[in-house]
Amino acid sequence: MKIDEFVSTNEPEAGGDTFQLENGKLLDVALDGSVIAKAGSMIAYDGDISFEGKSSAEGGITGFLKEKATGEGTPVMEATGSGHLYLADQEKKIQILDLDAGQSISVNGTDVLAFESSVDYEIRTVESIAGFSAGGMTNVFLEGPGSVAITTHGEPLVLRPPVRTDPGATVAWSGTTPGSHVDSAFSNMIGQSSEETYQLEFTGSEGFVVVQPYEERAPQQ
């Protein structure tokens, strides 16, 4: 491939949306104001953009990416200004969700890449999954209007309740709330303790659940 062809093929594409995918693993934020993003996800930017770390418990972002084992908050950042901000997270696939006013989704804290400042958010912990991690699962409840970018290992699968899922493979849910289910058959079958023993149980017939073809491992205690 000639140099000119390489450059033209891989240059950012022009677009009018605030959140736009340059490819499946790279998010282009056309910034004119502020956006909240996962700390360490910035790979490049142009224009006049400043960054401020967010890790204070008093700031409302307390457990946004809480460490499951220690309960310590992992910093996130607020990017403010105008220009283009390019974000990525360990080559994970990026999904852009456009939430209307009143629409909401709860996302695993490690799977939130960025969201617009117009989106309301609240930290929630699914404490019932004690077998998965000491502090349960830390999720971010996001409510529109605005765009949200989440990440998945590979292509996501969307399921309708009733369904049970492995906590480590569960990315997000909307319109439903999980309970916990313990299935000792897994440990009996394998002959030793298994993370699959502890499951999220979504009942009813409303909403949806997003899973990925990958299991996040709980930190070693």
Side-chain angles (χ1 to χ4, degrees):
M1 179 181 292
K2 294 183 178 297
I3 290 294
D4 290 346
E5 182 182 357
F6 172 79
V7 172
S8 61
T9 298
N10 293 285
E11 279 185 314
E13 295 183 6
D17 295 333
T18 301
F19 280 18
Q20 177 176 302
L21 291 179
E22 290 299 338
N23 57 57
K25 301 175 182 179
L26 201 160
L27 177 68
D28 178 353
V29 181
L31 191 60
D32 184 15
S34 64
V35 67
I36 302 295
K38 185 175 185 178
S41 62
M42 185 276 289
I43 63 169
Y45 69 92
D46 61 36
D48 183 13
I49 300 176
S50 61
F51 300 89
E52 180 182 359
K54 297 284 188 181
S55 61
S56 170
E58 288 71 29
I61 307 182
T62 316
F64 180 40
L65 296 172
K66 183 183 289 182
E67 294 287 345
K68 292 185 176 68
T70 65
E72 296 177 355
T74 298
V76 295
M77 62 185 180
E78 181 178 26
T80 304
S82 61
H84 282 265
L85 173 62
Y86 301 97
L87 305 173
D89 184 15
Q90 298 181 352
E91 291 190 298
K92 293 170 70 176
K93 294 278 291 184
I94 300 172
Q95 319 293 332
I96 299 176
L97 307 178
D98 296 318
L99 301 179
D100 291 333
Q103 284 189 318
S104 62
I105 189 168
S106 186
V107 186
N108 190 308
T110 61
D111 300 321
V112 178
L113 179 64
F115 55 88
E116 291 186 280
S117 58
S118 59
V119 174
D120 289 331
Y121 58 94
E122 180 183 347
I123 310 308
R124 297 182 179 180
T125 302
V126 184
E127 298 177 344
S128 58
I129 313 300
F132 178 66
S133 67
M137 291 180 63
T138 300
N139 268 48
V140 185
F141 178 81
L142 302 160
E143 183 174 345
S147 296
V148 174
I150 68 174
T151 58
T152 60
H153 289 277
E155 296 292 344
L157 176 68
V158 178
L159 302 170
R160 302 280 186 177
V163 65
R164 291 172 181 165
T165 65
D166 185 314
T170 306
V171 175
W173 58 80
S174 179
T176 181
T177 302
S180 61
H181 178 77
V182 179
D183 193 339
S184 59
F186 278 100
S187 58
N188 293 338
M189 177 180 64
I190 299 172
Q192 58 184 3
S193 177
S194 168
E195 288 182 2
E196 291 171 330
T197 301
Y198 305 93
Q199 301 161 8
L200 292 174
E201 183 173 33
F202 298 87
T203 58
S205 58
E206 301 295 325
F208 61 87
V209 183
V210 182
V211 295
Q212 62 185 0
Y214 181 92
E215 294 179 59
E216 302 278 2
R217 295 301 180 185
Q220 297 297 317
Q221 306 299 315

Short mmCIF file of all heavy atoms in Angstrom, two decimals, residues 124-179:
data_model
loop_
_atom_site.label_atom_id
_atom_site.label_comp_id
_atom_site.label_asym_id
_atom_site.label_seq_id
_atom_site.Cartn_x
_atom_site.Cartn_y
_atom_site.Cartn_z
N ARG A 124 -24.46 1.94 41.36
CA ARG A 124 -25.24 0.94 42.07
C ARG A 124 -24.41 -0.34 42.20
O ARG A 124 -23.66 -0.69 41.29
CB ARG A 124 -26.55 0.65 41.35
CG ARG A 124 -27.48 1.86 41.27
CD ARG A 124 -28.78 1.57 40.60
NE ARG A 124 -29.66 2.75 40.57
CZ ARG A 124 -30.87 2.76 40.02
NH1 ARG A 124 -31.35 1.66 39.46
NH2 ARG A 124 -31.59 3.87 40.05
N THR A 125 -24.57 -1.03 43.32
CA THR A 125 -23.82 -2.26 43.55
C THR A 125 -24.78 -3.43 43.71
O THR A 125 -25.73 -3.38 44.49
CB THR A 125 -22.96 -2.15 44.82
OG1 THR A 125 -22.08 -1.05 44.69
CG2 THR A 125 -22.14 -3.42 45.04
N VAL A 126 -24.53 -4.49 42.93
CA VAL A 126 -25.29 -5.72 43.05
C VAL A 126 -24.57 -6.57 44.08
O VAL A 126 -23.66 -7.34 43.77
CB VAL A 126 -25.39 -6.46 41.70
CG1 VAL A 126 -26.27 -7.69 41.81
CG2 VAL A 126 -25.92 -5.52 40.62
N GLU A 127 -24.94 -6.40 45.34
CA GLU A 127 -24.20 -7.01 46.43
C GLU A 127 -24.48 -8.50 46.60
O GLU A 127 -23.77 -9.19 47.31
CB GLU A 127 -24.51 -6.28 47.74
CG GLU A 127 -24.09 -4.81 47.70
CD GLU A 127 -24.46 -4.07 48.97
OE1 GLU A 127 -25.30 -4.60 49.73
OE2 GLU A 127 -23.92 -2.99 49.19
N SER A 128 -25.52 -8.98 45.97
CA SER A 128 -25.92 -10.37 46.19
C SER A 128 -24.97 -11.39 45.57
O SER A 128 -25.02 -12.56 45.89
CB SER A 128 -27.33 -10.59 45.63
OG SER A 128 -27.38 -10.28 44.25
N ILE A 129 -24.11 -10.94 44.66
CA ILE A 129 -23.22 -11.88 43.99
C ILE A 129 -21.93 -12.00 44.80
O ILE A 129 -20.83 -11.71 44.32
CB ILE A 129 -22.93 -11.46 42.53
CG1 ILE A 129 -24.24 -11.10 41.85
CG2 ILE A 129 -22.27 -12.59 41.77
CD1 ILE A 129 -25.25 -12.23 41.80
N ALA A 130 -22.05 -12.39 46.05
CA ALA A 130 -20.89 -12.45 46.94
C ALA A 130 -19.88 -13.48 46.47
O ALA A 130 -18.68 -13.35 46.70
CB ALA A 130 -21.34 -12.78 48.36
N GLY A 131 -20.34 -14.50 45.78
CA GLY A 131 -19.41 -15.52 45.32
C GLY A 131 -18.56 -15.07 44.16
O GLY A 131 -17.52 -15.64 43.88
N PHE A 132 -19.03 -14.01 43.46
CA PHE A 132 -18.26 -13.50 42.33
C PHE A 132 -17.15 -12.58 42.79
O PHE A 132 -16.03 -12.64 42.30
CB PHE A 132 -19.20 -12.77 41.37
CG PHE A 132 -18.49 -12.16 40.18
CD1 PHE A 132 -17.88 -12.97 39.23
CD2 PHE A 132 -18.43 -10.79 40.02
CE1 PHE A 132 -17.23 -12.42 38.15
CE2 PHE A 132 -17.78 -10.23 38.94
CZ PHE A 132 -17.18 -11.05 37.99
N SER A 133 -17.44 -11.71 43.76
CA SER A 133 -16.43 -10.81 44.30
C SER A 133 -16.87 -10.33 45.67
O SER A 133 -18.06 -10.34 45.98
CB SER A 133 -16.20 -9.62 43.37
OG SER A 133 -17.34 -8.80 43.34
N ALA A 134 -15.92 -9.89 46.47
CA ALA A 134 -16.22 -9.50 47.85
C ALA A 134 -17.18 -8.33 47.91
O ALA A 134 -18.02 -8.25 48.80
CB ALA A 134 -14.91 -9.15 48.57
N GLY A 135 -17.09 -7.42 46.97
CA GLY A 135 -17.93 -6.23 47.01
C GLY A 135 -19.12 -6.27 46.10
O GLY A 135 -19.81 -5.28 45.93
N GLY A 136 -19.38 -7.42 45.47
CA GLY A 136 -20.46 -7.50 44.51
C GLY A 136 -20.05 -6.89 43.19
O GLY A 136 -18.88 -6.66 42.92
N MET A 137 -21.03 -6.63 42.33
CA MET A 137 -20.77 -6.02 41.03
C MET A 137 -21.08 -4.53 41.10
O MET A 137 -22.13 -4.13 41.58
CB MET A 137 -21.65 -6.66 39.96
CG MET A 137 -21.30 -8.09 39.62
SD MET A 137 -22.42 -8.73 38.34
CE MET A 137 -22.02 -7.65 36.96
N THR A 138 -20.17 -3.70 40.61
CA THR A 138 -20.40 -2.27 40.57
C THR A 138 -20.92 -1.89 39.19
O THR A 138 -20.24 -2.10 38.19
CB THR A 138 -19.11 -1.50 40.86
OG1 THR A 138 -18.66 -1.85 42.17
CG2 THR A 138 -19.35 -0.01 40.80
N ASN A 139 -22.13 -1.37 39.14
CA ASN A 139 -22.75 -0.97 37.89
C ASN A 139 -23.04 0.52 37.87
O ASN A 139 -23.22 1.14 38.91
CB ASN A 139 -24.06 -1.74 37.65
CG ASN A 139 -23.84 -3.00 36.86
OD1 ASN A 139 -22.93 -3.79 37.17
ND2 ASN A 139 -24.66 -3.22 35.85
N VAL A 140 -23.06 1.07 36.67
CA VAL A 140 -23.39 2.47 36.48
C VAL A 140 -24.77 2.56 35.84
O VAL A 140 -24.98 2.03 34.75
CB VAL A 140 -22.36 3.19 35.59
CG1 VAL A 140 -22.66 4.68 35.53
CG2 VAL A 140 -20.95 2.96 36.10
N PHE A 141 -25.72 3.17 36.55
CA PHE A 141 -27.06 3.37 36.03
C PHE A 141 -27.06 4.68 35.24
O PHE A 141 -26.77 5.75 35.78
CB PHE A 141 -28.07 3.44 37.17
CG PHE A 141 -29.48 3.70 36.74
CD1 PHE A 141 -30.28 2.67 36.26
CD2 PHE A 141 -30.02 4.98 36.79
CE1 PHE A 141 -31.58 2.90 35.84
CE2 PHE A 141 -31.32 5.23 36.39
CZ PHE A 141 -32.11 4.18 35.91
N LEU A 142 -27.36 4.59 33.95
CA LEU A 142 -27.31 5.74 33.05
C LEU A 142 -28.69 6.02 32.49
O LEU A 142 -29.37 5.11 32.02
CB LEU A 142 -26.33 5.46 31.90
CG LEU A 142 -24.89 5.14 32.32
CD1 LEU A 142 -24.16 4.42 31.20
CD2 LEU A 142 -24.16 6.42 32.69
N GLU A 143 -29.10 7.29 32.54
CA GLU A 143 -30.42 7.66 32.05
C GLU A 143 -30.32 8.84 31.10
O GLU A 143 -29.65 9.83 31.39
CB GLU A 143 -31.36 8.01 33.21
CG GLU A 143 -32.78 8.35 32.76
CD GLU A 143 -33.73 8.54 33.92
OE1 GLU A 143 -33.38 8.15 35.05
OE2 GLU A 143 -34.82 9.11 33.70
N GLY A 144 -30.99 8.73 29.94
CA GLY A 144 -30.93 9.73 28.91
C GLY A 144 -31.71 10.98 29.23
O GLY A 144 -32.34 11.09 30.28
N PRO A 145 -31.55 11.99 28.35
CA PRO A 145 -31.10 11.84 26.97
C PRO A 145 -29.58 11.98 26.81
O PRO A 145 -28.94 12.64 27.60
CB PRO A 145 -31.80 13.01 26.27
CG PRO A 145 -31.86 14.07 27.33
CD PRO A 145 -32.12 13.34 28.62
N GLY A 146 -29.07 11.31 25.77
CA GLY A 146 -27.66 11.42 25.45
C GLY A 146 -27.09 10.11 24.98
O GLY A 146 -27.73 9.05 25.05
N SER A 147 -25.87 10.17 24.47
CA SER A 147 -25.18 8.98 23.96
C SER A 147 -24.28 8.37 25.01
O SER A 147 -23.66 9.07 25.81
CB SER A 147 -24.36 9.34 22.72
OG SER A 147 -25.19 9.77 21.66
N VAL A 148 -24.22 7.04 24.97
CA VAL A 148 -23.38 6.26 25.88
C VAL A 148 -22.56 5.30 25.04
O VAL A 148 -23.09 4.67 24.12
CB VAL A 148 -24.25 5.47 26.88
CG1 VAL A 148 -23.38 4.54 27.72
CG2 VAL A 148 -25.05 6.40 27.77
N ALA A 149 -21.27 5.18 25.33
CA ALA A 149 -20.41 4.22 24.64
C ALA A 149 -20.00 3.14 25.63
O ALA A 149 -19.41 3.45 26.67
CB ALA A 149 -19.18 4.91 24.05
N ILE A 150 -20.33 1.89 25.33
CA ILE A 150 -19.94 0.78 26.18
C ILE A 150 -19.03 -0.15 25.39
O ILE A 150 -18.98 -0.09 24.16
CB ILE A 150 -21.17 0.00 26.72
CG1 ILE A 150 -21.90 -0.72 25.57
CG2 ILE A 150 -22.12 0.96 27.44
CD1 ILE A 150 -23.04 -1.61 26.06
N THR A 151 -18.29 -1.01 26.10
CA THR A 151 -17.34 -1.90 25.43
C THR A 151 -17.67 -3.35 25.74
O THR A 151 -18.19 -3.67 26.80
CB THR A 151 -15.90 -1.60 25.87
OG1 THR A 151 -15.80 -1.75 27.29
CG2 THR A 151 -15.48 -0.20 25.47
N THR A 152 -17.35 -4.22 24.79
CA THR A 152 -17.52 -5.65 24.97
C THR A 152 -16.32 -6.39 24.40
O THR A 152 -15.70 -5.93 23.43
CB THR A 152 -18.79 -6.17 24.27
OG1 THR A 152 -18.71 -5.89 22.86
CG2 THR A 152 -20.04 -5.52 24.84
N HIS A 153 -15.99 -7.51 25.00
CA HIS A 153 -15.01 -8.42 24.42
C HIS A 153 -15.72 -9.21 23.32
O HIS A 153 -16.52 -10.10 23.61
CB HIS A 153 -14.44 -9.37 25.47
CG HIS A 153 -13.55 -8.72 26.47
ND1 HIS A 153 -12.21 -8.49 26.24
CD2 HIS A 153 -13.80 -8.27 27.72
CE1 HIS A 153 -11.66 -7.92 27.30
NE2 HIS A 153 -12.60 -7.77 28.21
N GLY A 154 -15.49 -8.87 22.08
CA GLY A 154 -16.18 -9.53 20.98
C GLY A 154 -17.56 -8.94 20.77
O GLY A 154 -17.94 -7.93 21.37
N GLU A 155 -18.34 -9.60 19.90
CA GLU A 155 -19.68 -9.11 19.58
C GLU A 155 -20.65 -9.43 20.71
O GLU A 155 -20.65 -10.54 21.25
CB GLU A 155 -20.18 -9.76 18.29
CG GLU A 155 -19.36 -9.41 17.05
CD GLU A 155 -19.50 -7.95 16.65
OE1 GLU A 155 -20.44 -7.29 17.15
OE2 GLU A 155 -18.68 -7.48 15.84
N PRO A 156 -21.50 -8.48 21.09
CA PRO A 156 -22.45 -8.73 22.18
C PRO A 156 -23.62 -9.61 21.74
O PRO A 156 -23.93 -9.70 20.54
CB PRO A 156 -22.93 -7.33 22.54
CG PRO A 156 -22.83 -6.57 21.25
CD PRO A 156 -21.61 -7.11 20.55
N LEU A 157 -24.26 -10.22 22.71
CA LEU A 157 -25.49 -10.97 22.50
C LEU A 157 -26.54 -10.37 23.42
O LEU A 157 -26.29 -10.17 24.62
CB LEU A 157 -25.28 -12.45 22.85
CG LEU A 157 -26.52 -13.35 22.77
CD1 LEU A 157 -26.98 -13.50 21.32
CD2 LEU A 157 -26.23 -14.72 23.37
N VAL A 158 -27.72 -10.05 22.87
CA VAL A 158 -28.81 -9.46 23.66
C VAL A 158 -29.88 -10.52 23.88
O VAL A 158 -30.40 -11.10 22.92
CB VAL A 158 -29.40 -8.23 22.95
CG1 VAL A 158 -30.56 -7.67 23.76
CG2 VAL A 158 -28.33 -7.16 22.77
N LEU A 159 -30.20 -10.76 25.16
CA LEU A 159 -31.17 -11.78 25.53
C LEU A 159 -32.36 -11.15 26.24
O LEU A 159 -32.24 -10.11 26.88
CB LEU A 159 -30.52 -12.80 26.47
CG LEU A 159 -29.27 -13.54 25.92
CD1 LEU A 159 -28.60 -14.33 27.02
CD2 LEU A 159 -29.67 -14.45 24.77
N ARG A 160 -33.50 -11.81 26.13
CA ARG A 160 -34.72 -11.36 26.81
C ARG A 160 -34.97 -12.24 28.04
O ARG A 160 -34.79 -13.45 27.98
CB ARG A 160 -35.92 -11.47 25.87
CG ARG A 160 -35.77 -10.68 24.57
CD ARG A 160 -36.07 -9.21 24.76
NE ARG A 160 -36.07 -8.49 23.47
CZ ARG A 160 -36.34 -7.21 23.35
NH1 ARG A 160 -36.66 -6.50 24.42
NH2 ARG A 160 -36.31 -6.61 22.18
N PRO A 161 -35.38 -11.65 29.16
CA PRO A 161 -35.74 -12.44 30.32
C PRO A 161 -36.97 -13.33 29.98
O PRO A 161 -37.75 -12.98 29.09
CB PRO A 161 -36.09 -11.41 31.39
CG PRO A 161 -35.42 -10.15 30.93
CD PRO A 161 -35.49 -10.21 29.43
N PRO A 162 -37.13 -14.45 30.73
CA PRO A 162 -36.29 -14.90 31.84
C PRO A 162 -35.00 -15.54 31.34
O PRO A 162 -35.02 -16.30 30.37
CB PRO A 162 -37.18 -15.92 32.55
CG PRO A 162 -38.08 -16.44 31.46
CD PRO A 162 -38.32 -15.29 30.54
N VAL A 163 -33.89 -15.22 32.01
CA VAL A 163 -32.59 -15.78 31.63
C VAL A 163 -31.65 -15.69 32.82
O VAL A 163 -31.78 -14.81 33.67
CB VAL A 163 -32.02 -15.00 30.41
CG1 VAL A 163 -31.71 -13.56 30.76
CG2 VAL A 163 -30.79 -15.69 29.84
N ARG A 164 -30.70 -16.61 32.90
CA ARG A 164 -29.65 -16.57 33.91
C ARG A 164 -28.32 -16.38 33.20
O ARG A 164 -28.08 -16.96 32.14
CB ARG A 164 -29.62 -17.86 34.72
CG ARG A 164 -30.83 -18.05 35.63
CD ARG A 164 -30.85 -19.42 36.26
NE ARG A 164 -32.03 -19.60 37.10
CZ ARG A 164 -32.46 -20.77 37.54
NH1 ARG A 164 -31.80 -21.88 37.21
NH2 ARG A 164 -33.54 -20.85 38.30
N THR A 165 -27.44 -15.55 33.77
CA THR A 165 -26.17 -15.24 33.12
C THR A 165 -25.01 -15.35 34.09
O THR A 165 -25.18 -15.19 35.31
CB THR A 165 -26.19 -13.82 32.52
OG1 THR A 165 -26.29 -12.86 33.60
CG2 THR A 165 -27.34 -13.64 31.56
N ASP A 166 -23.85 -15.60 33.56
CA ASP A 166 -22.62 -15.57 34.33
C ASP A 166 -22.28 -14.11 34.62
O ASP A 166 -22.23 -13.30 33.69
CB ASP A 166 -21.49 -16.23 33.52
CG ASP A 166 -20.20 -16.36 34.30
OD1 ASP A 166 -19.79 -15.37 34.95
OD2 ASP A 166 -19.58 -17.43 34.26
N PRO A 167 -22.07 -13.72 35.88
CA PRO A 167 -21.75 -12.31 36.18
C PRO A 167 -20.56 -11.78 35.40
O PRO A 167 -20.54 -10.62 34.99
CB PRO A 167 -21.45 -12.33 37.69
CG PRO A 167 -22.20 -13.51 38.20
CD PRO A 167 -22.14 -14.54 37.10
N GLY A 168 -19.56 -12.64 35.17
CA GLY A 168 -18.37 -12.20 34.47
C GLY A 168 -18.57 -11.95 32.99
O GLY A 168 -17.76 -11.30 32.34
N ALA A 169 -19.67 -12.48 32.44
CA ALA A 169 -19.97 -12.28 31.03
C ALA A 169 -21.09 -11.28 30.81
O ALA A 169 -21.43 -10.96 29.68
CB ALA A 169 -20.36 -13.61 30.38
N THR A 170 -21.66 -10.76 31.91
CA THR A 170 -22.79 -9.84 31.83
C THR A 170 -22.29 -8.40 31.72
O THR A 170 -21.57 -7.92 32.59
CB THR A 170 -23.70 -9.98 33.06
OG1 THR A 170 -24.08 -11.36 33.20
CG2 THR A 170 -24.93 -9.12 32.91
N VAL A 171 -22.69 -7.72 30.67
CA VAL A 171 -22.23 -6.36 30.39
C VAL A 171 -23.22 -5.31 30.86
O VAL A 171 -22.85 -4.31 31.48
CB VAL A 171 -21.94 -6.18 28.89
CG1 VAL A 171 -21.59 -4.74 28.56
CG2 VAL A 171 -20.84 -7.12 28.43
N ALA A 172 -24.51 -5.54 30.58
CA ALA A 172 -25.51 -4.51 30.87
C ALA A 172 -26.90 -5.11 30.88
O ALA A 172 -27.13 -6.22 30.40
CB ALA A 172 -25.42 -3.39 29.82
N TRP A 173 -27.85 -4.32 31.43
CA TRP A 173 -29.25 -4.71 31.35
C TRP A 173 -30.12 -3.46 31.41
O TRP A 173 -29.70 -2.40 31.87
CB TRP A 173 -29.62 -5.68 32.46
CG TRP A 173 -29.39 -5.19 33.87
CD1 TRP A 173 -30.20 -4.36 34.61
CD2 TRP A 173 -28.27 -5.50 34.71
NE1 TRP A 173 -29.65 -4.14 35.85
CE2 TRP A 173 -28.47 -4.83 35.95
CE3 TRP A 173 -27.13 -6.29 34.56
CZ2 TRP A 173 -27.57 -4.91 37.00
CZ3 TRP A 173 -26.23 -6.37 35.61
CH2 TRP A 173 -26.45 -5.69 36.81
N SER A 174 -31.36 -3.60 30.92
CA SER A 174 -32.30 -2.48 30.92
C SER A 174 -33.72 -3.02 31.07
O SER A 174 -34.06 -4.07 30.51
CB SER A 174 -32.19 -1.69 29.61
OG SER A 174 -33.11 -0.61 29.60
N GLY A 175 -34.53 -2.32 31.86
CA GLY A 175 -35.91 -2.72 32.03
C GLY A 175 -36.11 -3.95 32.88
O GLY A 175 -37.21 -4.50 32.92
N THR A 176 -35.08 -4.40 33.55
CA THR A 176 -35.13 -5.57 34.40
C THR A 176 -34.09 -5.44 35.49
O THR A 176 -33.12 -4.69 35.33
CB THR A 176 -34.92 -6.87 33.59
OG1 THR A 176 -35.01 -8.00 34.46
CG2 THR A 176 -33.55 -6.87 32.91
N THR A 177 -34.28 -6.13 36.60
CA THR A 177 -33.34 -6.08 37.71
C THR A 177 -32.93 -7.49 38.10
O THR A 177 -33.80 -8.35 38.29
CB THR A 177 -33.96 -5.38 38.94
OG1 THR A 177 -34.37 -4.06 38.56
CG2 THR A 177 -32.95 -5.29 40.07
N PRO A 178 -31.63 -7.78 38.23
CA PRO A 178 -31.22 -9.15 38.51
C PRO A 178 -31.33 -9.52 39.99
O PRO A 178 -31.13 -8.69 40.87
CB PRO A 178 -29.76 -9.16 38.06
CG PRO A 178 -29.29 -7.76 38.33
CD PRO A 178 -30.49 -6.89 38.02
N GLY A 179 -31.63 -10.77 40.21
CA GLY A 179 -31.46 -11.37 41.52
C GLY A 179 -30.28 -12.31 41.41
O GLY A 179 -29.56 -12.31 40.40
#
